[in-house]
Amino acid sequence: MSLDAKIPQGPLAEKWSKHKFNLKLVNPANKRKYDVIVVGTGLAGASAAASLAELGYNVKAFCFQDSPRRAHSIAAQGGINAAKNYQNDGDSVYRLFYDTIKGGDYRAREANVHRLAEVSVNIIDQCVAQGVPFAREYGGLLDNRSFGGSQVSRTFYARGQTGQQLLLGAYSALNRQIHKGKVKMYTRSEMLDVVTVDGHAKGIITRNLVTGEIDTHSGHAVLLCTGGYGNVFYLSTNAIGSNVTAAWRAHKRGAFFANPCYTQIHPTCIPVSGDHQSKLTLMSESLRNDGRVWAPKTQETAEKLRTKQVTAAQVAEEDRDYFLERKYPSFGNLVPRDVASRNAKEMVDDGRGVGGSGIAVFLDFADAIKRLGQPAVAAKYGNLFDMYYQITNEDPYTQPMRIYPAVHYTMGGLWVDYNLSTNVPGLYALGECNFSDHGANRLGASALMQGLSDGYFVIPFTLGDYLATIGPKPVDTSHPAFAQTKQDVIDHVNKLLALKGTKTVNEYHRDLGHIMWEYCGMARTEEGLTKAKGLIQALKADFWKNALVVGANDEVNASLERAGRVADFIELGELMVDDAQMRKESCGGHFRLESQTEEGEAMRNDEVFSFVGAWEYKGENQQEELHKEALNFEFVHPSQRSYK
């Protein structure tokens, strides 16, 4: 099957504006004849639902939380990128485009990334108008700070709560439309399948998480805004409820899954402290503006630190290795996340890790406090420092933070074209749910940018083109496809409830996470991926034989919820391993030990792998089929990434 990305012709800077003009329109009187389903109410979903309702469409919005305010978007801390150039330090739309293409290791579409950079300036204006309390500098303009992969300051922030404040802005816009009756909000509702009629998405099947009722909902189009799948690794920075089920069930209904092995490892997370943990906590990348990353120069000094014979403050400057500053003098501590993560792992693998476990490096603020004063540092990062103290009982004002990489974000997702449409007509994917903008590695502060770009400024144009094509004919819920899909969901739920083995679903999830982290995590090998494939297949077979699911359907049943999500994670994990094994190159966060430069950097193979790998589901326990979308670089020539 040929993948048509529908990339507009013409100069890069004119593609989006010309494309918008060429898209079909729905007149205001006709908009109220269309029903649109939005699944997920984080930044992408809330902004899309609010924008479409404001235009006049009838929107049905769904989330499995008890309020849209609890979407995982609130967890984003450090900021949102935009090419405003308020600092007058050389930023521009083109530089943001260039940094994003380069940061993604030349595995993203040029047209999508340039559009993202273009609309970034509008996002900030809209959010300010909504009352988002961005930090300001002395002259009254919005303040900026730097994030990894950039040599300019373009990251707008609200202390360490940027995601929460942006979501409150989108949530207020959504609430306005709920009050007007243009959005019908369904909370505590989990999407379990997509209904397709004649190849077009026409509805979804949901389970009410309070009553267990299986419901059918119809619409002229379905928008999936359900986030990423980082919890396939069990331990990640994602909320425990974050899952892949909506996207995965859409995949099994025909939507291609693109670049599933592209997962982002974030370098500044609080290290694992034991098997009791169910998630990890992120320390914002913004901390690398003022914090200096270091490890002891020798294994002997590291051992003294681990056994508490000496403290970090007692380690002399000449005995410290500020390894990012040493290896990458141009970018220093602000290298992209994949580069910082790999180097931290190298320190630990070399026996120079710190902390009781030895699996950590230091993020030290002593120089910043000496230079700026503790009150200034507290004003910038106080809530982050407080969070670290509450979790570790260590004061980052007086001793360095301990950090280590952890799974954070997923660049892979449902394949979409330039219009954010999957290959299933009428089914769209927005935000982290799609694959489109970040290539093999996301730059910091670009997740919020993409989610709001898709919801506020892209889908309101592109969705109208599709709706104008199909016309406002009501969706017929009596079509046999609705009843059949609902029955499929009921059968799957009953299959899960019939599992009365001896091993909890949580144990299976933890086992899967160990396999994924060990063999498909920060470093991957052909041998390890082959082993992982077999281990996951065995885990899946054992799950359907020995898992224990308690309770019934017609009640609040966390065991049932988790079982469905873990079953989907296991299947996704196998596809991720297939994708990683197919891609015999290193790029971004996907590091194959067999493919590295003499200096240990990721080495791409552009001649063979300059494509998007989109996988087609072929049936239960069948090998998926790979489709390739070629990546053509007209404006940025791919080269070996260097941050030195």
Side-chain angles (χ1 to χ4, degrees):
M1 177 180 177
S2 176
L3 290 176
D4 181 9
K6 296 184 172 62
I7 298 172
Q9 298 298 312
L12 184 65
E14 297 176 11
K15 287 182 184 293
W16 178 230
S17 58
K18 287 187 175 180
H19 187 64
K20 285 190 291 184
F21 180 76
N22 291 327
L23 291 170
K24 296 183 180 69
L25 299 176
V26 178
N27 81 57
N30 283 342
K31 285 188 174 77
R32 55 179 174 266
K33 301 176 183 177
Y34 291 95
D35 297 325
V36 179
I37 291 173
V38 177
V39 185
T41 52
L43 285 180
S47 60
S51 299
L52 294 171
E54 183 74 39
L55 288 172
Y57 297 108
N58 305 307
V59 178
K60 304 173 186 177
F62 298 80
C63 69
F64 62 72
Q65 298 94 344
D66 53 9
S67 165
R69 283 190 61 178
R70 296 183 64 82
H72 185 60
S73 298
I74 67 165
Q77 299 166 340
I80 176 172
N81 287 333
K84 284 288 197 181
N85 195 32
Y86 282 164
Q87 303 287 334
N88 202 28
D89 57 359
D91 200 12
S92 65
V93 167
Y94 191 85
R95 187 176 294 278
L96 175 53
F97 155 73
Y98 174 83
D99 286 346
T100 306
I101 288 287
K102 177 183 176 183
D105 220 352
Y106 306 97
R107 290 294 176 263
R109 282 195 205 123
E110 284 188 328
N112 284 67
V113 175
H114 195 277
R115 175 175 65 189
L116 180 64
E118 283 181 67
V119 303
S120 69
V121 296
N122 300 329
I123 294 171
I124 300 302
D125 293 341
Q126 174 137 340
C127 292
V128 169
Q130 289 174 338
V132 174
F134 287 118
R136 295 180 181 269
E137 48 89 53
Y138 75 100
L141 289 178
L142 302 185
D143 198 13
N144 290 135
R145 54 192 179 198
S146 296
F147 261 56
S150 168
Q151 290 178 302
V152 299
S153 292
R154 63 162 67 102
T155 304
F156 295 78
Y157 64 97
R159 210 178 186 193
Q161 310 171 357
T162 313
Q164 181 175 359
Q165 298 302 328
L166 290 171
L167 184 61
L168 287 173
Y171 176 60
S172 65
L174 175 62
N175 264 350
R176 180 170 180 266
Q177 297 304 320
I178 293 173
H179 180 71
K180 291 175 65 176
K182 293 303 294 181
V183 174
K184 183 173 176 56
M185 189 70 227
Y186 296 83
T187 59
R188 302 293 290 152
S189 297
E190 182 169 25
M191 177 193 136
L192 296 181
D193 217 333
V194 176
V195 180
T196 60
V197 177
D198 299 327
H200 289 241
K202 292 297 182 185
I204 62 172
I205 309 297
T206 63
R207 178 178 180 269
N208 185 305
L209 298 183
V210 177
T211 67
E213 184 177 356
I214 309 296
D215 294 317
T216 302
H217 304 275
S218 64
H220 291 88
V222 176
L223 278 54
L224 299 185
C225 313
T226 50
Y229 49 88
N231 277 349
V232 69
F233 289 88
Y234 184 69
L235 286 180
S236 80
T237 66
N238 287 248
I240 295 174
S242 297
N243 63 82
V244 76
T245 289
W248 189 252
R249 303 292 172 85
H251 174 55
K252 295 177 84 166
R253 289 293 177 186
F256 292 174
F257 212 107
N259 298 338
C261 79
Y262 285 163
T263 57
Q264 180 170 80
I265 312 296
H266 198 295
T268 54
C269 296
I270 299 178
V272 176
S273 60
D275 288 339
H276 63 282
Q277 283 182 274
S278 56
K279 76 176 298 292
L280 297 173
T281 302
L282 171 70
M283 288 289 99
S284 170
E285 182 172 316
S286 63
L287 294 170
R288 287 197 275 147
N289 274 277
D290 290 303
R292 300 179 70 191
V293 180
W294 65 275
K297 280 188 176 179
T298 66
Q299 295 177 356
E300 291 75 20
T301 303
E303 179 62 23
K304 289 180 180 179
L305 283 164
R306 289 194 291 268
T307 56
K308 299 185 178 180
Q309 297 177 49
V310 298
T311 65
Q314 292 171 326
V315 178
E317 279 292 307
E318 59 267 23
D319 295 326
R320 302 180 179 193
D321 181 7
Y322 294 93
F323 52 92
L324 295 180
E325 298 173 34
R326 170 175 57 83
K327 295 178 68 173
Y328 309 98
S330 292
F331 282 75
N333 294 299
L334 287 172
V335 293
R337 292 173 176 178
D338 61 319
V339 177
S341 295
R342 276 201 306 275
N343 279 273
K345 182 177 185 296
E346 285 179 14
M347 296 299 109
V348 170
D349 291 347
D350 191 39
R352 293 193 278 149
V354 299
S357 66
I359 306 177
V361 295
F362 285 132
L363 181 62
D364 198 335
F365 290 87
D367 284 356
I369 291 172
K370 183 178 179 181
R371 184 179 74 253
L372 303 171
Q374 183 167 321
V377 173
K380 283 185 175 181
Y381 311 117
N383 63 313
L384 299 172
F385 278 36
D386 290 344
M387 187 191 308
Y388 182 85
Y389 176 75
Q390 292 296 328
I391 293 172
T392 66
N393 198 33
E394 298 172 7
D395 181 6
Y397 291 107
T398 59
Q399 61 189 103
M401 288 183 178
R402 292 174 296 106
I403 59 168
Y404 194 67
V407 172
H408 176 56
Y409 186 90
T410 51
M411 284 74 66
L414 294 179
W415 182 89
V416 293
D417 62 19
Y418 190 71
N419 295 327
L420 304 183
S421 171
T422 69
N423 58 293
V424 176
L427 180 65
Y428 292 77
L430 284 65
E432 191 180 357
C433 185
N434 73 37
F435 86 99
S436 66
D437 290 8
H438 307 296
N441 176 63
R442 178 174 67 77
L443 293 184
S446 287
L448 307 183
M449 180 172 61
Q450 186 205 350
L452 293 179
S453 165
D454 289 353
Y456 282 140
F457 299 110
V458 179
I459 200 66
F461 290 97
T462 60
L463 179 63
D465 183 70
Y466 170 74
L467 296 177
T469 301
I470 64 170
K473 180 182 177 182
V475 179
D476 187 2
T477 54
S478 65
H479 192 283
F482 283 85
Q484 181 59 58
T485 308
K486 180 178 180 179
Q487 188 59 50
D488 291 344
V489 169
I490 293 172
D491 292 344
H492 185 70
V493 168
N494 289 335
K495 183 180 178 182
L496 291 168
L497 288 169
L499 294 173
K500 300 302 177 187
T502 58
K503 189 174 177 181
T504 67
V505 171
N506 205 50
E507 291 178 85
Y508 283 103
H509 196 181
R510 185 182 287 112
D511 291 346
L512 174 66
H514 283 309
I515 296 169
M516 296 301 297
W517 179 253
E518 183 69 25
Y519 302 111
C520 198
M522 292 179 68
R524 309 163 186 186
T525 65
E526 184 72 24
E527 179 184 6
L529 291 166
T530 299
K531 182 177 181 180
K533 173 96 170 178
L535 289 172
I536 294 173
Q537 289 177 333
L539 187 71
K540 179 180 179 181
D542 192 67
F543 175 90
W544 289 108
K545 181 180 179 182
N546 293 316
L548 172 64
V549 180
V550 299
N553 179 58
D554 57 349
E555 61 183 356
V556 176
N557 190 339
S559 176
L560 173 61
E561 293 170 31
R562 179 171 282 268
R565 296 167 188 174
V566 172
D568 293 334
F569 274 139
I570 292 173
E571 294 181 353
L572 168 68
E574 185 175 352
L575 181 62
M576 290 173 67
V577 168
D578 286 343
D579 190 51
Q581 196 160 28
M582 172 277 296
R583 195 168 284 278
K584 301 181 191 299
E585 65 163 354
S586 293
C587 56
H590 172 229
F591 195 71
R592 290 289 290 264
L593 294 183
E594 305 95 335
S595 183
Q596 55 183 305
T597 67
E598 291 182 0
E599 296 178 324
E601 303 293 344
M603 185 168 68
R604 299 190 319 274
N605 183 346
D606 292 333
E607 290 187 10
V608 179
F609 294 104
S610 188
F611 62 79
V612 175
W615 296 86
E616 179 183 3
Y617 182 76
K618 303 300 286 186
E620 191 75 18
N621 295 318
Q622 299 298 309
Q623 180 64 42
E624 299 210 5
E625 182 179 351
L626 175 65
H627 301 273
K628 300 178 182 179
E629 178 202 334
L631 292 171
N632 300 307
F633 294 93
E634 300 178 58
F635 304 94
V636 178
H637 181 69
S639 60
Q640 176 64 37
R641 275 198 307 166
S642 175
Y643 294 94
K644 295 182 182 300

